[in-house]
């Protein structure tokens, strides 16, 4: 039979994969919104709204990835450790992308709207 540790690890793995799927969807939403930036005749309000959407989706993606990595304990099995490592790597890239989106928002506000 399965031990309670095995069941916890399986549950954490399932939850993590679900969270990573959600994070991927949020990142795709951010990318779609970023492609709309800079449209001709865009107002300051439209730009701010679009960048707010990007930042919200990236923040949610990061939260989903964080939830994934928090689901594992230090004594996780080999498979769980591999998933944790990949989730931690995804979290790093998402965090960097989020920081760049916030920087772009501030820079564009300074350059184009003031």
């Amino acid at each position: 039979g399965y031990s309670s540790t095995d069941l916890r690890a399986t549950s954490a793995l399932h939850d993590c994969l679900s969270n990573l799927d959600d994070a991927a969807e949020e990142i795709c939403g951010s990318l779609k919104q970023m492609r709309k930036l800079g449209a001709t005749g865009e107002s300051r309000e439209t730009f701010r709204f679009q960048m707010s959407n990007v930042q919200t989706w990236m923040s949610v993606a990061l939260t989903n990835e964080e939830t994934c990595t928090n689901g594992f304990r230090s004594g996780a099995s080999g498979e769980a450790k591999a998933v944790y490592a990949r989730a931690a790597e995804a979290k790093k890239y998402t965090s960097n992308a989020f920081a760049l989106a916030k920087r772009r928002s501030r820079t564009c506000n300074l350059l184009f709207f003031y």
Side-chain angles (χ1 to χ4, degrees):
Y2 292 104
S3 71
S4 62
T5 303
D6 291 335
L7 293 174
R8 264 196 314 274
T10 300
S11 177
L13 186 58
H14 180 270
D15 291 346
C16 182
L17 294 174
S18 177
N19 281 316
L20 290 178
D21 280 346
D22 291 345
E25 287 180 25
E26 299 298 337
I27 291 168
C28 286
S30 293
L31 289 171
K32 287 177 185 174
Q33 188 70 78
M34 290 285 284
R35 288 186 184 113
K36 294 179 182 177
L37 291 174
T40 305
E42 188 174 88
S43 69
R44 179 186 345 194
E45 291 76 22
T46 300
F47 175 82
R48 285 183 175 164
F49 175 74
Q50 290 172 335
M51 285 308 296
S52 175
N53 287 342
V54 168
Q55 291 178 32
T56 297
W57 288 328
M58 292 301 287
S59 177
V60 171
L62 198 54
T63 299
N64 280 322
E65 291 163 353
E66 185 72 29
T67 301
C68 173
T69 57
N70 286 343
F72 293 106
R73 301 288 181 251
S74 58
S77 68
E79 273 187 19
K81 285 181 181 178
V83 172
Y84 174 86
R86 288 185 179 255
E89 188 77 5
K91 192 167 66 171
K92 180 177 73 173
Y93 288 114
T94 303
S95 180
N96 289 343
F98 184 33
L100 289 171
K102 288 194 293 189
R103 183 175 180 177
R104 178 177 180 175
S105 179
R106 284 192 302 270
T107 301
C108 288
N109 269 322
L110 290 172
L111 292 176
F112 299 116
F113 298 123
Y114 293 105

